[in-house]
């Protein structure tokens, strides 16, 4: 259990503890050496901000609840520009407000962590869980030709682990990293284990950080380039960085591919529901596998296409808590090699595994009959 | 792989301690080495309306922490009874806080237990312990976790100046357990799982 003792580790290392997703994420950020948090509360992400309000000072860091999300992201810009690990967290409408700042951070190549615990939109929408910010996360997080790395955990342990990875990736590529989860992952409790804690003093100061130019040449962190030639060169170098990320940082997991004819593709909470539906289908001798992206930028295009080709997948069913957004990336991946169908719920409703099973059945009925023996189960 | 699992929804007014009931089950299950998820209803529902939480306990991976049709439902008030009584799966269990809920279930395909949780808690000292009385009854009616393990977990819920509440709550839980007639009690649900008390 979490013990509230000032100056002592609040969540001990190596112990299995039951924590709420938002709190586990915040604790992971603290243990990853994050010492600057700027955030404005919003359901269903508020516990991240309240946890940081409670514990950031204990860790000797800076916590500010500014007047708006616009201010929050710009405070992240300032803090992260000094080379320290800094972050903000919000939910969908709050992330929209941050757009301009994210573009500035990406252009100035300032590493940071941004967390979106998605709620349903558009507009103020509702406060229930959703995955309808996929387009925003992977394409439209701000103006200009830029990308951010987008990590999509499906359980709380993965959310903790990816929070650590987010800071390392952000620093390795000098890029903002977006951790994209939803209200289910933010609000639920599940056991997690913290295996390490990073002392921020042990982190090396980046050679670009603006830490005061006394005794050395000045460093500039900026996004303004008025000379077109200089800006084109800057943009070319950004694009070159994105190509390196696409080569090296793609992550995904596959389940039960052996003998699969239908492939479910889902991430985050949808992947949990899809996994359950896959086991229900298996009990009914419907040969289904699951492909779960863990990064959605960079998207595992090649990996998904290879699964379809090598396993002879005949039909893909994409499951999302949206009207269908990631389904476009799946179609880009498979390049027409097999039909791609979509099942989704919107409005904040989480589909029951039986609903997804029904969608799988509809797809299965379309498959040509085969004399093959029923498949064997098991994760691959 | 998913395993043998039990899906529980606990519902009532905000302030009746329904979230804590779920957390008590969740912590005990985790300490017993089982897989567990706890998911609250969140948002405006918590302000005076009904609040509920879903607990899934399993011997294997847990897919969705949200459940449309639970194996077990606990209705601490009438709105919760009306909402969740129809949703319990056939052969499932419904526990009703009969002190506050006058309604009776007409379903014949589930086991319904009427537990005067508030009344019993009041007799033991304070109505506030009604949630713990109900957890005791739930343990007896479902066999989800041993009474002793749940009672032990109470020790982590009351720390510092609240330590004096541990024993009365343990007593309340035992009384709740005793409200379910011996012949209606369920054997250990997770057979083969060693859970120390």
């Amino acid at each position: 259990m979490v013990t509230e003792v000032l100056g002592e580790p609040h969540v001990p290392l190596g112990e299995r503890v039951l924590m709420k997703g938002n709190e586990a994420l915040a604790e992971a950020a603290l243990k990853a050496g994050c010492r600057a948090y700027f955030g404005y509360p919003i359901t269903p992400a508020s516990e991240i901000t309240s946890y940081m309000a409670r514990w950031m000072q204990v860790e000797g860091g800076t916590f500010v609840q500014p007047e708006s999300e616009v201010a929050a992201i710009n405070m992240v810009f300032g803090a992260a520009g000094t080379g320290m690990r800094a972050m903000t967290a919000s939910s969908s409408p709050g992330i929209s407000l941050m757009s301009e700042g994210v573009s500035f951070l990406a252009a100035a190549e300032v590493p940071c962590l941004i967390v979106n615990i998605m709620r349903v939109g558009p507009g103020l929408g509702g406060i229930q869980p959703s995955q309808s910010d996929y387009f925003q996360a992977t394409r439209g997080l701000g103006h200009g030709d830029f990308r951010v790395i987008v990590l999509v955990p499906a359980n709380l342990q993965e959310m903790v682990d990816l929070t650590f990875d987010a800071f390392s990736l952000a620093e390795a590529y000098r890029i903002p990293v977006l951790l994209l989860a939803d209200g289910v992952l933010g609000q639920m409790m599940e056991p997690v284990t913290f295996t390490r804690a990073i002392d921020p003093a042990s982190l090396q100061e980046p050679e670009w950080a603006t830490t005061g130019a006394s005794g050395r040449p000045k460093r500039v962190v900026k996004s303004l380039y008025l000379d077109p030639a200089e800006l084109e060169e800057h943009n070319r170098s950004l694009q070159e960085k994105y190509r390196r990320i696409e080569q090296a940082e793609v992550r995904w997991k596959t389940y039960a591919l052996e003998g699969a004819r239908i492939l479910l593709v889902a991430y985050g909470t949808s992947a949990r529901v899809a996994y359950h539906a896959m086991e229900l289908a298996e009990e009914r001798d419907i040969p289904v596998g699951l492909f779960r992206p863990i990064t959605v930028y960079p998207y595992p295009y090649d990996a998904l296409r290879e699964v379809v080709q090598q396993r002879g997948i005949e039909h893909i069913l994409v499951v999302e808590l949206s009207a269908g957004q990631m389904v476009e990336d799946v179609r880009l991946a498979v390049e027409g090699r097999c039909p791609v169908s979509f099942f989704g719920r919107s409005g904040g409703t989480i589909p029951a595994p039986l609903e997804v099973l029904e969608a799988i059945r509809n797809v299965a009925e379309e498959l040509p009959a085969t004399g093959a023996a029923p498949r064997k189960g098991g994760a691959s | 792989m998913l395993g043998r699992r039990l899906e529980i929804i606990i519902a009532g007014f905000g302030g009746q301690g329904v979230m804590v009931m779920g957390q008590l089950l969740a912590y005990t299950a985790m300490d017993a080495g089982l897989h567990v998820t706890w998911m609250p209803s969140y948002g405006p529902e918590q302000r005076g309306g009904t609040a509920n939480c879903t607990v899934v306990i399993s011997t294997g991976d847990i897919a969705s922490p949200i459940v449309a049709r639970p194996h077990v439902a606990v209705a601490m008030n009438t709105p919760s009874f009306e909402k969740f009584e129809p949703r319990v799966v056939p052969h499932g269990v419904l526990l009703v806080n009969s002190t506050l809920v006058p309604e009776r279930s007409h379903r014949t395909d589930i086991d319904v237990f009427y537990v005067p949780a508030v009344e019993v808690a009041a007799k033991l000292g304070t109505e506030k312990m009604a949630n713990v009385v109900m957890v005791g009854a739930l343990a007896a009616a479902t066999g989800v976790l041993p009474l002793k393990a749940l009672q032990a977990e109470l020790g982590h819920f009351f720390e510092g100046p609240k330590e004096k509440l541990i024993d009365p709550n343990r007593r309340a839980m035992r009384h709740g357990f005793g409200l379910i007639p011996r012949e209606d009690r369920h054997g250990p649900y997770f057979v083969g799982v060693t859970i120390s008390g």
Side-chain angles (χ1 to χ4, degrees), chain A residues 155-178:
Chain A
N155 60 64
L156 300 196
Q157 186 63 53
E158 192 170 61
M159 192 142 91
V160 164
D161 297 341
L162 288 179
T163 300
F164 279 84
D165 293 352
F167 284 108
S168 335
L169 286 167
E171 284 159 9
Y173 292 98
R174 289 190 59 183
I175 191 171
V177 173
L178 176 69

Side-chain angles (χ1 to χ4, degrees), chain A residues 89-148:
Chain A
S90 188
S91 182
S92 311
I95 298 292
S96 293
L97 276 169
M98 293 183 192
S99 288
E100 182 196 48
V102 179
S103 179
F104 281 33
L105 278 149
E109 298 187 90
V110 175
C112 67
L113 171 61
I114 302 159
V115 177
N116 182 1
I117 304 295
M118 287 180 280
R119 57 189 254 179
V120 62
L124 273 178
I127 58 171
Q128 295 304 318
S130 167
Q131 296 177 321
S132 51
D133 301 348
Y134 183 92
F135 285 154
Q136 181 194 49
T138 60
R139 269 87 169 153
L141 207 45
H143 62 281
D145 260 341
F146 79 91
R147 297 286 197 169
V148 301

Side-chain angles (χ1 to χ4, degrees), chain A residues 1 3 16-18 20 43-44 127-129 183-184 187-191 272-273 275-276 279 282 350 352-353 378, chain B residues 1-2 5 7 23 26-27 30 33-40 42-44 61-66 68 156-157:
Chain A
M1 290 189 70
T3 47
R16 206 160 161 252
V17 290
L18 190 70
K20 205 172 213 207
T43 305
I127 58 171
Q128 295 304 318
V184 172
Q187 293 296 319
M188 72 186 283
M189 292 177 98
E190 200 167 46
R272 297 178 74 117
V273 180
Y275 185 91
H276 195 149
E279 293 217 345
E282 207 161 79
I350 310 295
Chain B
M1 287 291 285
L2 305 176
R5 69 181 186 282
E7 301 168 346
Q23 286 175 2
Y27 279 110
M30 179 182 74
L34 291 158
H35 295 246
V36 64
T37 59
W38 173 94
M39 177 77 203
Y42 62 88
D61 292 333
I62 296 170
S64 178
I66 289 176
H156 299 297
F157 272 75

Side-chain angles (χ1 to χ4, degrees), chain B residues 10-13 15-25 74-76 95 97 100 115-122 126-139 150 154 157-158 168-169 172-174 176-177:
Chain B
I10 302 169
F13 289 123
Q16 279 185 311
V18 299
M19 298 299 177
V20 173
M21 292 166 76
Q23 286 175 2
L24 186 56
L25 293 169
V74 178
M76 294 297 285
L95 292 134
N97 177 17
L100 295 184
V115 181
V118 176
E119 189 187 321
V120 170
T126 167
E127 290 185 1
K128 284 183 185 169
M129 296 190 298
N131 59 344
V132 174
V133 171
M134 194 54 112
V135 171
L138 186 148
L150 287 159
L154 280 171
F157 272 75
F158 302 102
N169 273 281
M173 192 182 279
R174 195 179 63 241
F177 191 92

Side-chain angles (χ1 to χ4, degrees), chain A residues 19-335:
Chain A
M19 287 184 87
K20 205 172 213 207
N22 283 335
E23 296 182 343
L25 189 155
E27 179 64 27
L30 289 172
K31 282 192 163 43
C34 175
R35 290 295 179 270
Y37 180 89
F38 311 96
Y40 190 87
I42 178 171
T43 305
S46 295
E47 291 87 355
I48 301 174
T49 296
S50 51
Y51 196 91
M52 287 301 195
R54 173 71 183 83
W55 292 110
M56 186 56 93
Q57 274 185 305
V58 176
E59 295 289 359
T62 299
F63 167 89
V64 180
Q65 179 184 318
E67 72 276 18
S68 77
E69 289 85 348
V70 176
I73 192 70
N74 282 293
M75 287 180 180
V76 169
F77 195 179
T82 70
M84 70 190 301
R85 292 192 163 180
M87 70 175 287
T88 183
S90 188
S91 182
S92 311
I95 298 292
S96 293
L97 276 169
M98 293 183 192
S99 288
E100 182 196 48
V102 179
S103 179
F104 281 33
L105 278 149
E109 298 187 90
V110 175
C112 67
L113 171 61
I114 302 159
V115 177
N116 182 1
I117 304 295
M118 287 180 280
R119 57 189 254 179
V120 62
L124 273 178
I127 58 171
Q128 295 304 318
S130 167
Q131 296 177 321
S132 51
D133 301 348
Y134 183 92
F135 285 154
Q136 181 194 49
T138 60
R139 269 87 169 153
L141 207 45
H143 62 281
D145 260 341
F146 79 91
R147 297 286 197 169
V148 301
I149 294 175
V150 186
L151 307 173
V152 287
N155 60 64
L156 300 196
Q157 186 63 53
E158 192 170 61
M159 192 142 91
V160 164
D161 297 341
L162 288 179
T163 300
F164 279 84
D165 293 352
F167 284 108
S168 335
L169 286 167
E171 284 159 9
Y173 292 98
R174 289 190 59 183
I175 191 171
V177 173
L178 176 69
L179 196 142
L180 186 70
D182 60 73
V184 172
L185 290 164
Q187 293 296 319
M188 72 186 283
M189 292 177 98
E190 200 167 46
V192 292
T193 307
F194 296 90
T195 52
R196 61 198 168 120
I198 295 167
D199 178 0
S202 72
L203 297 168
Q204 224 178 358
E205 184 190 297
E207 77 286 349
W208 50 263
T210 51
T211 52
S214 166
R216 61 160 172 79
K218 73 171 179 181
R219 299 163 177 171
V220 179
V221 170
K222 63 162 186 174
S223 72
L224 181 68
Y225 294 85
L226 290 174
D227 173 10
E230 198 193 348
L231 179 51
E232 186 165 46
E233 177 52 27
H234 173 62
N235 282 342
R236 193 204 53 72
S237 111
L238 286 180
Q239 292 302 317
E240 190 269 328
K241 173 168 83 177
Y242 301 148
R243 296 300 89 76
R244 277 188 287 128
I245 291 170
E246 287 160 12
Q247 287 300 311
E249 305 300 344
V250 186
R251 299 187 194 188
W252 73 94
K253 269 194 176 169
T254 59
Y255 308 84
L257 294 184
E258 191 69 39
R261 298 178 66 194
I262 299 168
L263 185 68
L264 302 174
V265 183
Y267 70 97
T269 293
S270 295
R272 297 178 74 117
V273 180
Y275 185 91
H276 195 149
M278 179 185 80
E279 293 217 345
L280 294 174
E282 207 161 79
E283 287 164 15
R284 290 155 178 82
D285 284 330
I286 307 172
V288 181
L290 170 63
F291 185 99
R292 176 169 76 85
I294 297 171
T295 54
V296 290
Y297 179 79
Y299 197 81
Y301 292 114
D302 293 344
L304 179 52
R305 187 166 51 249
E306 276 163 27
V307 165
V308 169
Q309 279 178 315
Q310 288 169 5
R311 303 284 177 170
I313 298 298
E314 295 166 59
H315 202 121
I316 286 179
L317 178 65
V318 181
V319 183
E320 296 179 62
L321 306 178
S322 77
Q325 301 193 5
M326 184 181 72
V327 64
E328 296 193 1
D329 274 329
V330 174
R331 291 198 171 110
L332 283 174
V334 303
E335 294 172 332

